[in-house]
Amino acid sequence: MLFRSRQTDFILSIGIGKNTLAIMVHPHSPHKDIKDLVNYIKNKNGETFMASTLTSPASKMLNDIFMKQYGIPENKVKVINYKTTPEIKFAIENKEADYSIFTIPEFDQLKFLAVSSPKRLSNFPNVPTGAEVGFKEFTLESILLFAVPKSNGKFLETFEADMKKVCASPEFEPIAKIRAPHISYCMTGRESSETVRNELEIGRAHV
């Protein structure tokens, strides 16, 4: 099997939307809001476990911002990195992990305490935004990107143009919103890269 590095062997081609993140807990958790979760973490006798994955650096970064915002000592939370998102969901549902900060589509059966979108989501109208609950730094969103192997230059020449045609189709938005419920539109590789870089810089400024 040929091994490829995401950092060196691929070119960001086109983004098709953004995924909102959420602070999520067990569906039957007694926590009604972020303050309840913070109090639980601070008062728990021992560590609290946050589920994440190495493929989503935004998850860990937002958790660092969350802990700093609410004065949670580092020794109170242990981050557990799972290989896949279904494993994260399983861990929370089976109470192996206490909470996670992750993109919404894979976890819509869990309980959301806040979302990172600028306004409430139409499909989760009762879940407040980070700004509404005083967590103003909770604004980062995850961009869905296509990446093309550098060795496949001829494909790259036509791929973005073809994807623009797909995005222009009236059928694109309702389908894309299944994966990106807040914003769905096409961005070029450069636009995607600049958006990712800007949002990471904003996030790191608060860590």
Side-chain angles (χ1 to χ4, degrees):
M1 180 180 293
L2 180 63
F3 174 79
R4 295 183 185 273
S5 167
R6 289 197 304 173
Q7 285 72 33
T8 60
D9 296 330
F10 287 85
I11 299 173
L12 295 180
S13 175
I14 194 164
I16 61 168
K18 290 186 177 182
N19 267 338
T20 297
L21 290 93
I23 299 175
M24 55 191 72
V25 294
H26 190 279
H28 302 301
S29 168
H31 307 319
K32 297 184 178 68
D33 51 35
I34 288 181
K35 289 184 179 179
D36 283 350
L37 177 61
V38 171
N39 289 334
Y40 170 78
I41 294 172
K42 289 183 175 180
N43 296 321
K44 183 180 179 181
N45 183 20
E47 291 179 316
T48 300
F49 298 100
M50 183 269 192
S52 186
T53 173
L54 292 175
T55 60
S56 179
S59 175
K60 172 65 167 58
M61 184 173 68
L62 284 170
N63 187 61
D64 291 341
I65 296 172
F66 167 67
M67 293 175 63
K68 181 178 179 180
Q69 164 91 10
Y70 291 97
I72 299 172
E74 291 185 10
N75 63 353
K76 295 295 291 183
V77 175
K78 180 177 182 179
V79 177
I80 303 176
N81 287 310
Y82 293 89
K83 291 183 179 180
T84 65
T85 49
E87 289 179 357
I88 293 175
K89 182 180 178 182
F90 180 86
I92 294 177
E93 289 177 333
N94 288 273
K95 300 183 179 180
E96 294 176 7
D98 297 285
Y99 72 102
S100 184
I101 301 177
F102 219 86
T103 50
I104 286 176
E106 294 86 351
F107 302 99
D108 56 0
Q109 295 179 352
L110 298 182
K111 183 176 183 179
F112 300 153
L113 302 182
V115 292
S116 67
S117 52
K119 59 182 180 180
R120 293 195 183 197
L121 302 178
S122 59
N123 46 344
F124 300 103
N126 296 323
V127 181
T129 66
E132 287 182 274
V133 298
F135 188 9
K136 295 181 180 180
E137 291 78 11
F138 190 42
T139 59
L140 191 67
E141 294 177 300
S142 175
I143 298 177
L144 299 171
L145 295 170
F146 282 102
V148 178
K150 289 181 179 179
S151 58
N152 203 345
K154 290 185 178 180
F155 174 75
L156 183 61
E157 290 176 4
T158 60
F159 181 67
E160 287 195 5
D162 290 339
M163 280 304 302
K164 286 289 186 180
K165 293 177 183 177
V166 171
C167 293
S169 167
E171 298 178 357
F172 170 76
E173 186 170 349
I175 295 174
K177 280 188 178 294
I178 296 173
R179 291 288 302 172
H182 177 52
I183 302 175
S184 295
Y185 56 88
C186 281
M187 296 176 284
T188 65
R190 179 177 178 181
E191 291 170 338
S192 301
S193 297
E194 289 177 349
T195 302
V196 171
R197 183 166 53 252
N198 290 339
E199 292 196 346
L200 286 176
E201 287 176 356
I202 291 171
R204 287 168 179 154
H206 295 286
V207 176

